[in-house]
Amino acid sequence: MKLFDAGALRAAADDARLSAANDLVQRTLARHGLLSGTDASRSGGRHTGGLAGLMARMPNAGAGAAPAHTAVPQGAQFLQDTYTGPAGSRMYRTYVPASAKAGAGGVIMMLHGCTQSPEDFAAGTGMNELAEKHGFVVIYPAQSRGDNAQSCWNWFSRGDQRRDRGEPAILAGMASRVCAAHDIVRDHTFVAGLSAGGAMAAILGETYPDVFAAVGVHSGLPVGAARDVPSAFAAMGGNILDAPIRPRSGSTVRTIVFHGTADATVSPKNGESVARRALDSNTRQSLETHERGHANGRNFSRVISSDANGAAVVEHWRIDGQGHAWSGGSTGGSYTDPKGPDASAEMVRFFFDNPDRVK
C-alpha cells in the first residue's frame, strides 16, 4: 500500500506541502529500512521507489498485472463503463457470467489495492470464475490516477470516510446502478477489497448499510484508522486511531476479515481492529467459536462471532506466515499468495451463506 502523491494531498496549494509530505514518507521508510539509496534517484527525486519497491520485492506478491484484455468464456461479458454522480465519477468493469442469463443471484463489488487494476484484481482473486459457478455479477471499480497517483482508494482522507461524500458516495452509487440493472436487492449486495480496497470496503459497510449486506476486508484497516498521510503510516504500523462508532439502525452488516500474521505492510493489529469494530457495530452479545485448520500449505485460525440467534456476524481469519497478499489467490494477478485458504471462495460462502466450508 502506497500513500505518497495521494488523495489526501489534493487540497495542497503549494509545492512546499507536497515536498514536506514526500520527505515525511522518505524518512518513515528509511527509519524502517524500506528505502534504498537508489530509490529517489531513479525517480528524479520524487521518492516513487519506497513502498512501491518494497511491494514489488515481496516474496508473496504476484508476477505483475493481468493483461488488459481478460479472456471470458462464451456467453459471459466483461463490460466497461463510467459512473458519474454528484460526488464525482469513476470507471468500472462489470463481469456478467454466462450462468446469469436467467437472472443474477447477487452482486459483489471488488475493490483493488494500490497499483492494481480491475483486470489485475480479477485475475488474482479468481472472482470471475466463482461468479460463473454461482451466478452472481462482479463490479470492479477503478481508482483514477488523477485522484490518487498510486491508484489507492483514499481511505485515510476524511473527505472519503463519510456518507454522501467522496469515494464512498461514488462507489455506493455505482453499486446501486448495477444492482438496479440486474434487479438485485440489498440482501444480495456485497463489497470486498484488498489493502486500501479493504479499508474502503469497511468504510462502505459503515456508511452505506442500506446498500451492502456484508463486507470482506483482506489485509485492510478499520474505519477511522487514520485522517491524513502521517496517521495512515502510523495505522499501517499498528498505531491505529480509535474512531467513534456511529449509531446504526436497521439491518446488520456482516463482516469477514482475512489478514496474514506476517504482513509487514499493514500490521495484523488492523485485522483484529476491523473484526472488533464490526462486532461492536452490530451486536453487544455474541457467541465465539474458535477453530484451527490447514489449507494449501498454510495453517490458519478462525474466530466466528454469532449473534443471539446463532447467525454468524463476524468471521476473523488469521493466516499463519502470510504477508501482504490475497490468500489462496492466483499468480496471474499481483499481490497474491497461492498458499492458504481460498479467501475468494470463503467470502462468497460467507456472503451467500453457502454451507460449504474449509475444515
Side-chain angles (χ1 to χ4, degrees):
M1 182 185 296
K2 290 168 290 297
L3 300 173
F4 43 87
D5 291 345
L9 302 176
R10 282 176 289 179
D14 53 70
D15 291 340
R17 290 183 62 187
L18 179 59
S19 177
N22 281 336
D23 288 343
L24 170 66
V25 172
Q26 187 181 34
R27 291 196 304 272
T28 302
L29 297 176
R31 186 164 62 250
H32 293 282
L34 304 179
L35 184 67
S36 70
T38 57
D39 280 332
S41 62
R42 287 198 194 107
S43 59
R46 293 184 65 244
H47 313 313
T48 55
L51 278 178
L54 169 67
M55 294 182 74
R57 294 191 296 271
M58 285 173 54
N60 288 328
H69 301 290
T70 304
V72 298
Q74 185 175 3
Q77 296 177 297
F78 201 25
L79 307 171
Q80 180 171 314
D81 203 345
T82 298
Y83 171 80
T84 300
S89 65
R90 292 293 187 281
M91 188 277 286
Y92 65 98
R93 301 293 298 264
T94 306
Y95 185 80
V96 183
S99 59
K101 282 186 177 180
V107 167
I108 299 179
M109 173 174 278
M110 295 288 288
L111 299 174
H112 63 71
C114 298
T115 76
Q116 293 183 311
S117 68
E119 297 82 9
D120 179 14
F121 202 39
T125 61
M127 195 59 77
N128 289 357
E129 289 77 7
L130 288 168
E132 284 292 347
K133 180 179 179 181
H134 298 288
F136 59 83
V137 171
V138 191
I139 311 170
Y140 297 96
Q143 175 62 304
S144 164
R145 289 278 184 176
D147 289 283
N148 187 293
Q150 302 300 328
S151 299
C152 306
W153 299 102
N154 292 303
W155 58 274
F156 51 88
S157 169
R158 281 180 284 189
D160 295 296
Q161 296 173 346
R162 305 175 188 177
R163 185 181 177 94
D164 297 329
R165 293 187 61 183
E167 290 171 0
I170 296 169
L171 294 169
M174 185 187 299
S176 296
R177 172 202 271 187
V178 175
C179 286
H182 293 275
D183 197 24
I184 301 298
V185 298
R186 177 261 183 192
D187 287 350
H188 290 164
T189 305
F190 316 103
V191 60
L194 171 67
S195 193
M200 185 54 68
I203 291 172
L204 287 173
E206 288 201 19
T207 55
Y208 287 93
D210 52 326
V211 175
F212 301 100
V215 174
V217 180
H218 201 313
S219 309
L221 301 96
V223 178
R227 55 176 174 262
D228 50 28
V229 171
S231 59
F233 272 101
M236 290 164 64
N239 188 8
I240 306 163
L241 294 180
D242 189 15
I245 296 176
R246 302 178 183 92
R248 174 178 293 170
S249 61
S251 301
T252 295
V253 178
R254 298 176 295 117
T255 303
I256 184 169
V257 181
F258 282 82
H259 217 115
T261 63
D263 192 333
T265 302
V266 176
S267 168
K269 291 181 181 179
N270 285 280
E272 298 170 5
S273 183
V274 171
R276 183 172 60 252
R277 185 178 178 91
L279 193 59
D280 290 345
S281 297
N282 286 292
T283 179
R284 295 293 179 183
Q285 296 180 339
S286 64
L287 174 65
E288 287 191 353
T289 303
H290 295 253
E291 299 179 356
R292 287 201 62 85
H294 183 84
N296 300 325
R298 288 199 185 278
N299 294 323
F300 66 85
S301 65
R302 175 170 62 163
V303 178
I304 305 171
S305 300
S306 304
D307 62 17
N309 297 319
V313 177
V314 178
E315 284 193 18
H316 183 196
W317 295 67
R318 299 178 181 89
I319 317 302
D320 292 350
Q322 190 169 87
H324 194 66
W326 190 272
S327 180
S330 167
T331 55
S334 62
Y335 309 121
T336 63
D337 185 352
K339 293 183 178 181
D342 186 338
S344 297
E346 289 299 327
M347 286 185 181
V348 170
R349 184 268 310 161
F350 180 81
F351 291 160
F352 292 99
D353 199 22
N354 190 324
D356 296 332
R357 296 166 58 172
V358 172
K359 298 295 184 182

